[in-house]
Amino acid sequence: MDHTVSVQALSVEAEAVRHHGVPEKTVPGRPPAVPAASAVLADARYVLPLKWDDDAGLAGLARYLAEVVTWLPVTVVDGSAEELFTAHGRALPEAVEHVRPQPWPGRNGKVAGVMTGVRRAREERIVVADDDVRHTRRSVERIVGLLGHVEVVRPQNYYLELPWQARWDSGRTLLNRALGGDWPGTLGVRRSVLLGAGGYDGDVLFENLELVRTVRAAGGRECVALDVLVGRVPPTVPHFLGQRVRQAYDDFAQPGRLLVELSLLPLLGWCVRRPGRWIAGAVVVCGTAEAGRRRAGGARVFPAGTVLWAPLWVLERSVCVWAAVAVRARGGVSYAGSRLRTAGHSSAALRRRLRRRERVPLPPVDAGRRRGRSRR
């Protein structure tokens, strides 16, 4: 069964939510971390998993969270080294809950951070976001509103600034938008459904896809919200270069896409002596990217010139996907001193896993005092 719900199918209901709000839920014994800014956000929390090796972006993140915490409660789950954790505690706004991740099976620290934040929350609607994501209040309200109708929401990212590496990666984003939707650094999820499924696997590389597939395997519906466009800070050049093969490795979780990308290099070899074929291929790729740019209002945030970077990304992926095959043959991607072999589990495998286990929701993490300066 297809559990994907188009954002158009929800447009009338979501518009009503945005204009009239949703009933506020009260939780006995829970002192509010911040005043309820709107009815839409009354039962929502923002969860940010964090693990940094340096604090180059700390001032910008602190300024951003100082604004977000006026909209809804914020939990930062920080797996950084002790010295950095302490510095983060001093820099983050007083109202932000800043905590250590709780143990979670698996080697992917981001999964442990997300599950810690979800289990600590008492709110039902959770917005999960990476540290480089920059929501507006409007985008948060859209995601939380859509969670009144579906169980997981996948918005779309764009870069707030466009150095060359951001333009390059925007080519990938546009192609993905044309072909169904990009995978962003932020999701919305209903807490009860994720906990009812027992959380999601911490031994995978493509953790966002794993979360969405787990919710869908548990009977939840997904909304690919192509028109909910969320800004993102561009990566540094070293970080961007370091992610090329690792991102290609994610396609082991999407076998159909993997096979198509593995065919690109032989296809390019076939075209090498025929420039006309190269030109025709580039035109097709740019046309597809332009369709993604225009889809669901994307032209508002993606300049027309980003379309021209899509063929470069295709060339990159045609090589990096074969490098990912070599990495898999060596045991997987290096991660936190070990190797992660599994990119993500298939939907069928997750459904089988859920059928085998007893559907008992995970207990919440004891949050203790819920005030902002909870620095555990």
Side-chain angles (χ1 to χ4, degrees):
M1 179 186 297
D2 186 2
H3 294 290
T4 301
V5 179
S6 72
V7 73
Q8 288 83 3
L10 296 171
S11 59
V12 175
E13 293 177 296
E15 194 66 28
V17 170
R18 291 197 294 275
H19 285 294
H20 303 296
V22 295
E24 181 174 356
K25 295 183 180 179
T26 58
V27 181
R30 181 194 181 279
V34 294
S38 72
V40 176
L41 301 180
D43 192 30
R45 179 169 288 267
Y46 191 98
V47 172
L48 191 156
L50 183 68
K51 187 174 183 180
W52 281 356
D53 296 321
D54 64 68
D55 280 344
L58 181 57
L61 179 62
R63 285 193 300 270
Y64 166 66
L65 292 180
E67 182 177 6
V68 176
V69 80
T70 65
W71 312 333
L72 76 170
V74 175
T75 297
V76 174
V77 185
D78 190 350
S80 306
E82 189 62 37
E83 182 178 350
L84 293 176
F85 179 87
T86 302
H88 299 165
R90 290 193 298 264
L92 292 176
E94 180 74 24
V96 170
E97 183 184 35
H98 179 228
V99 299
R100 284 294 196 184
Q102 297 293 315
W104 185 258
R107 290 159 288 180
N108 191 320
K110 181 180 174 182
V111 175
V114 170
M115 288 308 305
T116 297
V118 169
R119 293 175 70 189
R120 288 180 65 87
R122 297 181 185 177
E123 297 82 4
E124 170 65 6
R125 306 179 193 193
I126 307 297
V127 177
V128 179
D130 292 344
D131 58 85
D132 60 349
V133 169
R134 296 294 182 264
H135 275 280
T136 62
R137 177 167 175 164
R138 169 74 168 172
S139 65
V140 172
E141 288 182 338
R142 287 293 316 281
I143 293 168
V144 172
L146 289 169
L147 286 173
H149 309 279
V150 298
E151 286 67 46
V152 63
V153 177
R154 176 156 50 113
Q156 304 286 277
N157 279 141
Y158 69 95
Y159 286 111
L160 294 168
E161 299 175 358
L162 287 170
W164 71 265
Q165 68 272 23
R167 293 177 186 273
W168 188 300
D169 199 46
S170 294
R172 172 193 60 81
T173 300
L174 296 178
L175 292 173
N176 284 340
R177 282 176 58 81
L179 300 174
D182 194 31
W183 284 94
T186 181
L187 295 171
V189 65
R190 293 193 70 99
R191 176 180 182 272
S192 59
V193 178
L194 184 58
L195 295 186
Y200 65 118
D201 199 306
D203 261 329
V204 298
L205 193 66
F206 199 168
E207 75 286 331
N208 278 356
L209 179 142
E210 187 78 3
L211 186 156
V212 169
R213 284 184 176 173
T214 299
V215 170
R216 290 177 53 145
R221 296 157 298 171
E222 174 193 11
C223 174
V224 182
L226 293 171
D227 66 331
V228 181
L229 300 163
V230 183
R232 195 168 195 172
V233 177
T236 63
V237 172
H239 182 76
F240 172 79
L241 296 176
Q243 290 292 307
R244 298 305 87 209
V245 174
R246 183 168 170 175
Q247 286 188 1
Y249 196 95
D250 285 345
D251 287 336
F252 280 100
Q254 304 171 93
R257 179 176 178 131
L258 177 67
L259 290 174
V260 170
E261 292 182 355
L262 287 171
S263 71
L264 289 174
L265 197 58
L267 182 62
L268 291 171
W270 176 71
C271 294
V272 71
R273 293 181 180 274
R274 300 288 181 91
R277 294 173 181 169
W278 281 83
I279 295 170
V283 168
V284 170
V285 170
C286 286
T288 305
E290 179 63 16
R293 190 180 80 90
R294 297 188 182 191
R295 192 174 184 188
R300 298 196 312 269
V301 296
F302 293 102
T306 53
V307 167
L308 301 177
W309 293 79
L312 292 176
W313 179 82
V314 171
L315 287 173
E316 171 222 303
R317 182 52 61 92
S318 71
V319 174
C320 287
V321 70
W322 284 100
V325 170
V327 168
R328 187 173 176 88
R330 295 200 301 269
V333 174
S334 296
Y335 192 98
S338 61
R339 288 189 178 272
L340 276 177
R341 180 175 176 81
T342 304
H345 295 97
S346 69
S347 297
L350 291 171
R351 286 193 295 268
R352 288 194 298 269
R353 179 181 296 179
L354 287 174
R355 284 196 296 266
R356 286 197 301 266
R357 69 178 292 275
E358 185 180 359
R359 294 290 299 280
V360 177
L362 290 169
V365 172
D366 182 11
R369 295 174 297 169
R370 301 289 300 188
R371 64 191 181 95
R373 289 288 178 183
S374 177
R375 310 299 192 194
R376 295 181 299 282

